[in-house]
Amino acid sequence: QSVLTQPPSVSGTPGQTVTISCSGISSNIVINTVTWYQQLPGTAPKFVMFNIDERPSGVSDRFSGSKSGTSASLAISGLQSEDEADYYCAAWDDSLNVAHYVFGTGTKVTVL
Amino acid sequence: EVQLVESGGGLVQSGGSLRLSCAASGFTFSGYWMSWVRQAPGKGLEWVANIKQDGSEKLYVDSVKGRCTISRDNAKNLLFLEMNSLRGEDTAVYYCAREREDYYLDVWGRGTTVTVSS
């Protein structure tokens, strides 16, 4: 089944902006909304962006999302140590007869 | 407080069975699709299955089709995942999650660990 492709890692110094990409195909990212999840070490995932660019209550406005064609992105501006975590994109995939929810491969964000 | 609490994980031999439960509280459980997501040690997230509010629709990832059954008891606010013919690759932390209409998972439990030994 489909998978969304992310870079294994990105890093930045405090205050910098980092961007995580998420590459999919026509049956997922192109036609469906994208969600981003943050997973801090040893904890359950938490959604930090939904409907491509909407932030849930309590999530810093330093997080922003976008989508273009078969790719989506999550940007974190003003990078802080608390942002160090694994991030996963996700989307519903409407492949014929095998509809399923698909996660990205995950990106580890490191604050240098 | 909206909460999901998983239970039922443990150590099981290859080929064995296990039934996971997820207790929901703080919201109208019967009003939401629910999902199971798993994470193998050191690996990424993998969606396993989901179930419609009334249990009439269920979807599964290919790797568990025919071996796992998702179900729910709305009267008791419980979600289940019955797993049979377990394999080593089923070893993971299993999370239950509430699903929203725009296909995102907004509430997650802390997870329950399943370890399949050979």
Side-chain angles (χ1 to χ4, degrees), chain A residues 46-79:
Chain A
K46 161 192 160 186
F47 80 117
V48 293
M49 195 69 57
F50 67 107
N51 289 345
I52 303 170
D53 60 0
E54 293 187 53
R55 278 187 312 277
S57 170
V59 172
S60 171
D61 59 5
R62 298 183 296 103
F63 289 79
S64 61
S66 64
K67 184 178 92 167
S68 178
T70 58
S71 293
S73 295
L74 177 73
I76 310 173
S77 62
L79 195 63

Side-chain angles (χ1 to χ4, degrees), chain A residues 83-100:
Chain A
D83 301 328
E84 192 161 282
D86 293 323
Y87 292 83
Y88 298 89
C89 59
W92 192 255
D93 190 298
D94 287 319
S95 299
L96 188 62
N97 294 328
V98 286
H100 60 286

Side-chain angles (χ1 to χ4, degrees), chain A residues 1 33 35 37 39 44 51 101, chain B residues 39 61-62 102-105 109:
Chain A
Q1 288 177 308
T33 186
T35 304
Y37 299 92
Q39 188 176 32
N51 289 345
Y101 197 60
Chain B
Q39 185 170 34
V61 70
D62 279 353
D102 291 323
Y103 305 129
Y104 62 95
L105 306 174

Side-chain angles (χ1 to χ4, degrees), chain A residues 6-12 16-22 36 62 64-66 72-77 79 87 107-109:
Chain A
Q6 300 178 231
S9 63
V10 299
S11 62
Q16 278 189 329
T17 297
V18 296
T19 302
I20 306 167
S21 61
C22 173
W36 288 90
R62 298 183 296 103
S64 61
S66 64
S73 295
L74 177 73
I76 310 173
S77 62
L79 195 63
Y87 292 83
T107 298
K108 182 174 183 60
V109 171

Side-chain angles (χ1 to χ4, degrees), chain A residues 92 99-101, chain B residues 32-37 47-53 55-61 64 69-72 79-81 97 99-100 103 105:
Chain A
W92 192 255
H100 60 286
Y101 197 60
Chain B
Y32 294 87
W33 281 76
M34 296 294 296
S35 278
W36 285 98
V37 175
W47 174 83
V48 175
N50 69 352
I51 184 170
K52 193 176 180 179
Q53 290 91 330
S56 63
E57 292 183 37
K58 305 174 185 181
L59 290 168
Y60 300 89
V61 70
V64 306
T69 302
I70 188 171
S71 62
R72 64 192 298 163
L79 177 71
F80 303 103
L81 185 67
E99 192 174 317
R100 299 304 297 268
Y103 305 129
L105 306 174

